[in-house]
Amino acid sequence: MQPVTKWKIEKVHSTIGFIVKHLMVSNIKGEFKEYEASISTNGEDFLNVEMNVLINSASISTGDAARDAHLKGEGFFHVKKFKTINFSGSDFKNIRDDMYLLNGNLTIKDITRQIALTVESGGMIKTPQGDKRAYFLVTGKISRKDWGLTWSTLMENGGVIVADEILVNCEIELIEELEQIH
């Protein structure tokens, strides 16, 4: 058995984001600014990954303060009651070349559903400073209604202000954590 390798998210080069259709014609991009993750692998092989990501739901940012306040309210994330969003995953399978499928559990507002995300590996490098880094583009589609995020309003043309389908769009750079010897 290979030794366990622990990884941390390099937040300067990472984004936990989403895209949602607005008014049926445009997209709103958003992200969560505050999150923590516990990620470990057997050796450097991500096929044996164990991860747990905790996201501060109140850290949502879409670039519009009024919209962000609305998203933090009871019709969406209800951040006063549900402080965190959680994703845990350990089922990571190669589907072709540098493409993988990550299955895990997503918990929003105390509702847990299994989701599947597509992961594209950008590779692993050793930097001039001597640390190892790995890059991943994580994408997928979820229905916000599956987690009780149901607010919307019908428009005159029959469309809705906010679409049900959410595109998960995360760019993740990981740094290998070196054990500290005391």
Side-chain angles (χ1 to χ4, degrees):
M1 180 177 215
Q2 294 186 7
V4 172
T5 302
K6 293 187 179 208
W7 301 85
K8 67 180 179 179
I9 295 178
E10 166 53 273
K11 291 185 179 181
V12 173
H13 299 117
S14 298
T15 304
I16 294 182
F18 60 90
I19 301 169
V20 63
K21 187 71 73 184
H22 179 249
L23 300 175
M24 307 305 292
V25 294
S26 65
N27 289 325
I28 293 175
K29 295 179 182 176
E31 65 181 286
F32 293 93
K33 300 284 191 175
E34 298 174 16
Y35 50 88
E36 297 297 327
S38 170
I39 303 167
S40 61
T41 59
N42 284 330
E44 295 174 356
D45 185 352
F46 281 88
L47 292 175
N48 297 304
V49 71
E50 293 283 337
M51 72 176 64
N52 190 42
V53 181
L54 285 174
I55 300 167
N56 176 353
S57 58
S59 72
I60 193 166
S61 175
T62 63
D64 182 287
R67 179 174 41 232
D68 293 348
H70 186 203
L71 291 170
K72 292 174 188 179
E74 291 181 24
F76 282 98
F77 290 103
H78 196 176
V79 300
K80 288 182 181 178
K81 184 175 180 182
F82 304 102
K83 308 235 182 264
T84 59
I85 297 167
N86 177 257
F87 176 78
S88 60
S90 61
D91 184 17
F92 195 70
K93 296 178 182 151
N94 183 256
I95 51 178
R96 70 177 183 284
D97 301 323
D98 292 331
M99 298 296 289
Y100 299 84
L101 186 65
L102 173 61
N103 292 298
N105 291 317
L106 178 62
T107 303
I108 302 173
K109 293 174 72 172
D110 285 345
I111 299 168
T112 302
R113 302 259 190 258
Q114 189 171 51
I115 64 170
L117 300 169
T118 301
V119 180
E120 181 179 352
S121 173
M124 188 179 307
I125 63 159
K126 190 167 191 171
T127 68
Q129 294 78 22
D131 57 354
K132 285 186 186 166
R133 295 186 182 222
Y135 172 82
F136 301 95
L137 174 62
V138 181
T139 58
K141 294 179 182 179
I142 62 173
S143 166
R144 66 185 176 90
K145 292 178 183 174
D146 287 347
W147 286 273
L149 306 174
T150 58
W151 182 92
S152 196
T153 299
L154 287 176
M155 299 185 317
E156 265 182 37
N157 66 0
V160 292
I161 290 181
V162 181
D164 176 49
E165 183 178 81
I166 305 294
L167 303 175
V168 175
N169 188 35
C170 304
E171 295 187 51
I172 306 295
E173 184 173 310
L174 299 177
I175 302 173
E176 180 183 34
E177 289 190 65
L178 300 175
E179 289 191 31
Q180 301 292 323
I181 301 173
H182 300 287

